[in-house]
Amino acid sequence: MARRNYHHGELRAALLDAAEALVRERGADGWSLREASARVGVSSSAAYHHFASRDALVRALRRRVLGELGERLSQEVGRAAGPEAGADHQWRLVAVGRTYVQWAVDDPSVARLAFGAGAPAAGDPASDSTSDAATPPHPHDVLDAELDLLVEVGGLPAAARPGADFVVWAAVHGLATLLVDGLARLDDPRAVAREAERVVRAVLTGLTHEAVPSQGWPTPHSAHTERRTERGADK
């Protein structure tokens, strides 16, 4: 096995790169920490200085992937804020939906890793605020910010805002899952983008016209929103 000299941060990043490549080749579960170490050219004992276990490496990779997705969503929202949007207040959220679905279709194994079983729950040491701070913005935060903006500009009633993030996510993630798993097929990336747009617009239109029951709707939570609430309470 070839030996290479790495600075502290470089070896950690190299192990994450190797793990990501292995996920694309074999899925989230078809490889070991030893294999990731071998790809980098170091011993598994060297890898243990950065990751206590394979699961720790997977969790760190998941955080990095989510951070990259969040950054990609933010960039696409920024582009959607140009002249093309005009008075279309939904356009920025359409960009979020299109980008999310295309990302999942283009990189299905990594997408499954990012949102698959085993994501750290609130209170897990691997999901503390220090870890999250290394990979902003989280995709859910981008979605939340755009829904808040939609309310501000009058594109969504304030009464429909609670829980709307999970309604939009459910629809967009559902389309992505159908396409990735082959349960639905579209001919080309343009068709994927148009279908994602249709899903987002349909959901936002439904939210705009829904009758909110007197007791309100259920309030879903995710590991990320729970961590976000905990950090807010600590301030």
Side-chain angles (χ1 to χ4, degrees):
M1 178 174 63
R3 299 281 178 176
R4 304 178 191 176
N5 293 321
Y6 289 94
H7 294 297
H8 186 74
E10 290 176 346
L11 177 53
R12 186 179 191 280
L15 288 166
L16 287 167
D17 290 343
E20 189 167 347
L22 285 164
V23 167
R24 289 193 175 99
E25 293 172 18
R26 306 182 198 171
D29 301 319
W31 51 276
S32 66
L33 181 59
R34 182 183 297 275
E35 288 177 282
S37 304
R39 289 217 172 182
V40 174
V42 299
S43 66
S44 54
S45 60
Y48 283 124
H49 288 294
H50 297 274
F51 303 104
S53 65
R54 179 192 176 282
D55 286 346
L57 174 57
V58 168
R59 288 194 296 267
L61 177 59
R62 180 181 286 117
R63 289 194 298 273
R64 188 176 80 166
V65 167
L66 288 173
E68 290 171 349
L69 173 59
E71 187 62 35
R72 181 171 169 180
L73 294 176
S74 294
Q75 290 173 356
E76 292 302 321
V77 164
R79 294 188 183 99
E84 183 180 0
D88 185 353
H89 297 315
Q90 295 181 351
W91 190 245
R92 293 167 65 100
L93 278 160
V94 167
V96 171
R98 283 178 163 183
T99 304
Y100 185 102
V101 173
Q102 194 62 59
W103 164 78
V105 170
D106 289 345
D107 209 352
S109 294
V110 171
R112 288 190 181 100
L113 170 82
F115 294 105
D124 187 323
S127 67
D128 62 19
S129 57
T130 301
S131 297
D132 279 348
T135 56
H138 191 281
H140 202 131
D141 294 338
V142 178
L143 175 58
D144 270 341
E146 292 307 314
L147 285 166
D148 289 343
L149 179 60
L150 190 61
V151 172
E152 289 177 16
V153 300
L156 183 70
R161 176 62 184 89
D165 43 330
F166 284 92
V167 176
V168 175
W169 183 23
V172 171
H173 188 75
L175 173 60
T177 300
L178 289 172
L179 293 172
V180 166
D181 289 347
L183 298 175
R185 291 182 293 277
L186 291 165
D187 295 334
D188 54 52
R190 177 173 170 78
V192 171
R194 291 180 63 201
E195 188 67 10
E197 177 177 355
R198 183 183 185 186
V199 166
V200 171
R201 291 193 187 278
V203 170
L204 293 176
T205 299
L207 287 169
T208 298
H209 296 288
E210 74 175 354
V212 180
S214 58
Q215 71 272 29
W217 294 112
T219 304
H221 303 279
S222 69
H224 175 71
T225 61
E226 289 170 0
R227 291 196 298 273
R228 192 171 61 189
T229 298
E230 289 176 356
R231 289 197 297 268
D234 291 339
K235 291 180 180 178

